[in-house]
Amino acid sequence: MCELATEEHEREISDMESSTVAHSEVMLVVNHSRIKPPFSVLLATVLYCAEFITAAVLCSRYHKTEDVIWMGFTLTFMLLPAVLIQLALTFIHRDLGRDRPLVLFLHLLLLGPVIRCFEALVVYFKSGKREEPYVTISRKINLEKGQIPMEWEIGQSERNLATHRNAFKRTAVIQAFLGSAPQLTLQLYASIQEKYFLPARLTLMIITLISITYGALVCIVLAIQIRYDDYKVRLRPFAYLCMIVWRGLEIATRITSLVLFSTALTHWVILVGMGNLLLFFFLPWVEFWARKGSLAKDVEKNFSKLGTTVVLSMFTLLYACINVFCWSAVQLDLTHRELIERKQRWDRLAMFYCGRFVENFVLITLWYFYKSDFYEYVCAPLLAAQLLICYSLAVLFMLLFYQFCHPCKSLFKYNVHDCLHCVCFRTGRRGGRGRRGKLPPSYSTAATMVLVPEEPLQLLAPENSQSLDLTNQLGQQEMAILDDMMQAA
């Protein structure tokens, strides 16, 4: 998975050559090096094939036992993402205007990811056998080297592999949240209702959980790469560990809460699911209409205004499906060419996780009071507490990632520590006003706070000493942070 962050522009430092450019900046020109294997393409293809085959086997089992309802839903969640993946691959590779009948035929047979993976492997194994001229030059800023600009040549083989990788990133997200997430919810609900686990059903649940976690990781990496497109992004192994634990706990807790609630109040879960879906679907469009903006141009040159609206609607539907199960890591901006808002919105992040925690708490509470006799031998209070603790742990690992493991954390205007400190400081000010302005000593008013700039050495001399009010400086800086956050909100 570490290949996700380095797939398009990672090179060995030993291959660098330095040269001088204008304004005395140092430019590092990176030559060709060995192309990275397309592991992400292979992993996405394996997950697609494994889930499709396992779901087909489970459908045949449902057909033999005449479980028409389970078979119908399983077949729907198997075919819907498969069809959308074929359309996405055809759209990204622009095959409709090319003479490739075999590839199009395999897409009709829902085997598009297989042939695309085969093409990527052929390109990889043929690369490096003969020297090829570069077709473009890419430039990024290296944060680890003091924000030094870097340039390197991109050959034809490497660009083709980058196209395959980008395409399979999108398909992994489609597979995860339009197929795997509802499939896992359905099969877990069927297992509780039938009170036993089929081997094929258990296998499908494990595969779908892996697919959802991988799709959520891809969402984070895509968000980072789009938001910080001018920078060289490298994620450390500990960052991937934080993301896996964060996403795994968040998704597992969310799906379990929905399934438990559905076993107690079956028809009400439809209202909960549709309410979430419609909320996140119309939210970007409401913001778009409130800004009185125009639709993003250059989404596709050959598209009419109606075609652009359809594509944006499908993209918004995928965004809504992601947010039903977990945080999408991005905010949509339908007026922007890349459709992604580049600014880090801490207020949206806090609102989402607070609201989702309250929603999960309400769902678990309602399940506790209306649970069926199936949970007679289950310690319901312990299960409810475990779910809430797991979701809290997911939030904790999310905070750890943004505070310590985010590859571009040095570019944040405010980080997690600053936001939490401002919230505590505001709460302390409100409590202090109730006690006639007397504030007890706390961390938020300590002289060692990192927000206080260091004083020059000249001010420490006796002849230049002045009375400084450190408390006022802290208050002014923290109020400035609060004003910026309120304006961003």
Side-chain angles (χ1 to χ4, degrees):
M1 292 184 182
C2 292
E3 182 228 18
L4 285 172
T6 60
E7 59 192 7
E8 297 177 4
H9 49 268
E10 286 297 323
R11 292 295 181 274
E12 297 295 334
I13 301 301
S14 59
D15 294 332
M16 296 180 182
E17 297 177 359
S18 61
S19 60
T20 305
V21 296
H23 306 293
S24 302
E25 295 180 354
V26 178
M27 183 70 64
L28 298 178
V29 180
V30 183
N31 297 327
H32 284 291
S33 63
R34 194 171 185 274
I35 298 177
K36 301 290 183 180
F39 290 126
S40 60
V41 176
L42 189 60
L43 179 58
T45 305
V46 169
L47 289 175
Y48 170 82
C49 294
E51 183 173 343
F52 192 91
I53 294 173
T54 310
V57 172
L58 186 59
C59 284
S60 65
R61 178 63 183 269
Y62 286 148
H63 179 70
K64 290 179 181 179
T65 57
E66 298 182 355
D67 292 327
V68 181
I69 298 179
W70 301 141
M71 184 186 70
F73 281 110
T74 303
L75 197 62
T76 300
F77 296 140
M78 177 185 72
L79 293 179
L80 177 62
V83 173
L84 294 177
I85 285 174
Q86 314 308 315
L87 295 176
L89 289 175
T90 305
F91 173 77
I92 294 174
H93 289 278
R94 305 176 186 274
D95 285 330
L96 294 179
R98 302 164 62 185
D99 186 17
R100 305 189 68 186
L102 178 59
V103 174
L104 294 177
F105 177 71
L106 291 176
H107 275 291
L108 291 176
L109 297 179
L110 304 181
L111 294 176
V114 178
I115 186 62
R116 299 295 183 184
C117 180
F118 179 76
E119 289 178 352
L121 292 176
V122 170
V123 172
Y124 168 71
F125 286 113
K126 283 186 176 181
S127 63
K129 292 186 177 180
R130 69 174 186 274
E131 185 177 358
E132 57 182 16
Y134 68 90
V135 295
T136 186
I137 293 179
S138 179
R139 177 173 179 172
K140 301 286 182 182
I141 299 176
N142 193 341
L143 294 174
E144 298 179 356
K145 300 294 180 180
Q147 297 192 7
I148 300 177
M150 299 176 61
E151 285 186 353
W152 59 90
E153 302 168 352
I154 304 295
Q156 183 67 38
S157 299
E158 189 169 2
R159 189 170 71 169
N160 291 338
L161 280 179
T163 302
H164 283 291
R165 291 188 179 103
N166 290 332
F168 274 87
K169 285 181 183 179
R170 276 70 180 175
T171 61
V173 176
I174 294 174
Q175 177 71 30
F177 295 101
L178 294 181
S180 300
Q183 188 77 270
L184 177 58
T185 307
L186 171 68
Q187 302 307 327
L188 183 58
Y189 176 78
S191 300
I192 294 177
Q193 291 297 97
E194 296 184 354
K195 299 179 176 59
Y196 66 91
F197 285 94
L198 291 172
R201 183 190 293 158
L202 181 60
T203 304
L204 180 60
M205 291 170 60
I206 295 174
I207 294 174
T208 51
L209 181 59
I210 296 174
S211 177
I212 301 169
T213 306
Y214 176 69
L217 295 184
V218 172
C219 284
I220 300 175
V221 176
L222 278 175
I224 294 174
Q225 290 181 346
I226 293 174
R227 186 171 289 147
Y228 304 99
D229 184 56
D230 297 331
Y231 295 89
K232 182 179 180 181
V233 178
R234 173 182 292 179
L235 285 169
R236 302 297 182 183
F238 186 71
Y240 280 102
L241 179 61
C242 278
M243 288 193 296
I244 291 173
V245 178
W246 160 27
R247 289 307 202 176
L249 291 175
E250 180 183 7
I251 293 168
T253 305
R254 175 62 174 172
I255 292 178
T256 305
S257 301
L258 288 174
V259 171
L260 291 178
F261 178 75
S262 64
T263 58
L265 301 170
T266 304
H267 300 291
W268 285 95
V269 75
I270 300 176
L271 180 61
V272 174
M274 292 303 298
N276 276 269
L277 187 65
L278 294 177
L279 171 64
F280 291 109
F281 179 82
F282 285 109
L283 182 60
W285 291 100
V286 170
E287 293 178 346
F288 168 74
W289 291 323
R291 295 172 182 174
K292 298 180 180 180
S294 58
L295 290 177
K297 299 180 180 180
D298 299 330
V299 175
E300 177 58 39
K301 295 181 179 179
N302 298 327
F303 278 2
S304 62
K305 192 170 184 178
L306 177 61
T308 302
T309 305
V310 172
V311 171
L312 292 179
S313 299
M314 295 300 297
F315 189 75
T316 311
L317 176 62
L318 177 61
Y319 169 79
C321 291
I322 296 172
N323 282 284
V324 169
F325 296 97
C326 67
W327 171 245
S328 63
V330 295
Q331 290 81 46
L332 294 188
D333 184 3
L334 300 180
T335 62
H336 197 272
R337 182 178 179 274
E338 293 178 347
L339 307 178
I340 300 297
E341 186 175 346
R342 288 178 174 267
K343 186 176 181 180
Q344 183 70 38
R345 298 290 298 272
W346 297 112
D347 54 338
R348 289 287 184 87
L349 184 68
M351 289 173 59
F352 178 87
Y353 276 100
C354 291
R356 183 54 53 84
F357 183 85
V358 172
E359 182 185 357
N360 288 343
F361 176 78
V362 172
L363 295 178
I364 295 171
T365 303
L366 292 174
W367 162 78
Y368 178 78
F369 287 107
Y370 294 96
K371 61 182 181 297
S372 61
D373 296 335
F374 173 73
Y375 304 98
E376 181 179 357
Y377 300 101
V378 177
C379 184
L382 179 60
L383 179 59
Q386 287 175 340
L387 291 175
L388 295 177
I389 291 173
C390 286
Y391 196 81
S392 302
L393 288 175
V395 175
L396 175 62
F397 277 95
M398 181 268 296
L399 295 176
L400 289 176
F401 172 76
Y402 278 106
Q403 178 67 31
F404 300 107
C405 304
H406 196 285
C408 301
K409 60 181 181 293
S410 60
L411 301 176
F412 291 166
K413 185 177 181 180
Y414 307 117
N415 56 18
V416 176
H417 174 270
D418 297 330
C419 296
L420 293 178
H421 175 72
C422 288
V423 172
C424 297
F425 177 74
R426 181 170 54 183
T427 304
R429 284 175 61 89
R430 291 176 179 175
R433 290 173 183 175
R435 295 186 297 271
R436 299 182 180 179
K438 295 181 179 180
L439 289 175
S442 64
Y443 175 73
S444 61
T445 58
T448 56
M449 183 59 198
V450 297
L451 293 176
V452 179
E454 295 183 358
E455 298 295 335
L457 294 177
Q458 291 81 0
L459 295 179
L460 301 179
E463 61 273 10
N464 295 328
S465 60
Q466 298 178 0
S467 59
L468 299 177
D469 191 351
L470 295 179
T471 304
N472 286 336
Q473 291 182 6
L474 277 173
Q476 293 173 0
Q477 292 179 0
E478 289 167 340
M479 291 303 296
I481 293 176
L482 286 173
D483 292 339
D484 291 344
M485 293 176 64
M486 295 302 296
Q487 291 176 2

